[in-house]
Amino acid sequence: MYGKVVLTFIFVFLLLISYSIFIGTLDIRSYFFQSPVFQPVSCKPDPPIRLYMYDLPPRFNVQMINRRIQSQSPVTAKDFPRWPDNWGLKKQHSVEYWMMGSLIHEDDDDDGDSREAIRVLDPELADAFFVPFFSSLSFNTHGHTMTDPATEIDRQLQVDLMELLKKSKYWERSKGRDHIFPMTHPNAFRFLRNQVNDTIQVVVDFGRYPKGMSNLNKDVVSPYVHVVDSFTDDESQDPYETRSTLLFFRGRTYRKD
């Protein structure tokens, strides 16, 4: 009698194990193979993007800030002019100035690891190519009325720049797709805009651009400098916990609102 009870118990036990394995509630492997203890690996920050900056004569950039610059040699960190304190509204389109200044900056104590982008002097080493043409400032300086004779200067700068770029094998190699153009003013580069539609453009919104000209698939949105205050709480241990406001772009915007 006891034998029948034991056999019945064993049968039921084996049946329950088989059923558990079948429905997946019991993992036999866990008894034989111990899962390795997870050791978190510290993530290294992404390496900075390597940018080659074209050596353009000052008339394409800093000469619009300081007209006393007469040299035709590309500007260096030593003669890079300060942004004028009294320029008011022009500051809203000064992204092109700050981007160029960041690349041209030289610091013996800076190894580049803490920067998002570093300048390389060999174009073969570049991930992308920065074109330091102050297209927004050119419009504000030479052609803001869009009809006066000075507008021709803005147009001629665009013509001369495209002639220069088309002589570059790096422009021809990608047809400009890896070239970065700051164009924060909606009328910047307006005369030859169709020739740079494929480039990476730094814009502030897409309010006046066709989708084939500017879109989020290739371009970068930067805020108006004079509208957005600097966020200063990122020095804490956990900057995300210190933020009480979520900042984001919400689709189409009203310009300057």
Side-chain angles (χ1 to χ4, degrees):
M1 179 175 178
Y2 290 103
K4 291 183 179 180
V5 173
V6 171
L7 288 176
T8 302
F9 177 81
I10 294 175
F11 175 78
V12 173
F13 179 75
L14 293 175
L15 181 64
L16 289 174
I17 290 179
S18 301
Y19 181 73
S20 298
I21 295 174
F22 178 76
I23 66 173
T25 59
L26 179 63
D27 187 3
I28 297 295
R29 295 172 300 172
S30 63
Y31 291 93
F32 297 95
F33 304 100
Q34 295 295 325
S35 299
V37 178
F38 176 74
Q39 296 291 341
V41 179
S42 59
C43 296
K44 293 183 178 179
D46 292 334
I49 184 174
R50 296 169 298 181
L51 294 177
Y52 177 81
M53 182 168 64
Y54 281 91
D55 288 329
L56 299 181
R59 64 191 179 97
F60 288 99
N61 39 66
V62 296
Q63 201 173 70
M64 302 178 208
I65 297 175
N66 186 351
R67 297 185 180 182
R68 290 178 294 180
I69 298 176
Q70 298 299 321
S71 173
Q72 292 304 306
S73 300
V75 67
T76 66
K78 293 181 179 180
D79 52 6
F80 193 71
R82 291 176 57 88
W83 182 264
D85 295 330
N86 59 349
W87 269 25
L89 196 60
K90 285 185 178 180
K91 185 179 179 182
Q92 67 179 321
H93 298 298
S94 62
V95 169
E96 53 203 8
Y97 169 85
W98 301 113
M99 290 182 71
M100 182 180 183
S102 174
L103 290 177
I104 213 169
H105 173 71
E106 297 175 353
D107 189 343
D108 294 336
D109 297 329
D110 185 7
D111 57 7
D113 291 339
S114 61
R115 303 177 65 181
E116 289 80 9
I118 57 174
R119 183 185 184 186
V120 293
L121 301 180
D122 183 355
E124 294 292 341
L125 301 177
D127 301 311
F129 297 80
F130 180 70
V131 182
F133 172 45
F134 292 177
S135 58
S136 298
L137 187 56
S138 179
F139 173 78
N140 282 324
T141 302
H142 303 306
H144 63 280
T145 67
M146 303 177 73
T147 56
D148 60 359
T151 303
E152 178 61 23
I153 300 177
D154 183 32
R155 190 195 72 83
Q156 191 60 49
L157 284 173
Q158 296 170 40
V159 171
D160 294 345
L161 177 64
M162 293 311 302
E163 289 181 355
L164 185 152
L165 289 175
K166 288 177 180 179
K167 295 177 182 178
S168 166
K169 69 175 184 179
Y170 302 102
W171 173 272
E172 289 300 319
R173 183 179 65 185
S174 66
K175 298 304 179 184
R177 289 182 177 86
D178 55 2
H179 283 55
I180 301 171
F181 281 74
M183 294 186 183
T184 55
H185 195 290
N187 291 319
F189 223 96
R190 65 189 181 94
F191 292 103
L192 302 183
R193 204 68 183 291
N194 64 320
Q195 297 187 29
V196 295
N197 282 354
D198 293 334
T199 64
I200 303 168
Q201 298 170 20
V202 181
V203 298
V204 292
D205 58 45
F206 302 114
R208 301 184 189 179
Y209 307 135
K211 292 181 179 179
M213 179 183 296
S214 291
N215 57 75
L216 283 175
N217 291 328
K218 66 180 184 66
D219 298 325
V220 179
V221 176
S222 68
Y224 281 121
V225 174
H226 76 304
V227 172
V228 179
D229 294 329
S230 298
F231 191 84
T232 58
D233 290 339
D234 276 345
E235 297 299 325
S236 62
Q237 289 284 355
D238 191 345
Y240 299 101
E241 290 297 327
T242 64
R243 296 184 181 185
S244 58
T245 304
L246 176 65
L247 307 177
F248 64 96
F249 290 98
R250 183 186 173 195
R252 198 174 185 89
T253 63
Y254 290 100
R255 291 189 58 80
K256 302 187 179 182
D257 189 0

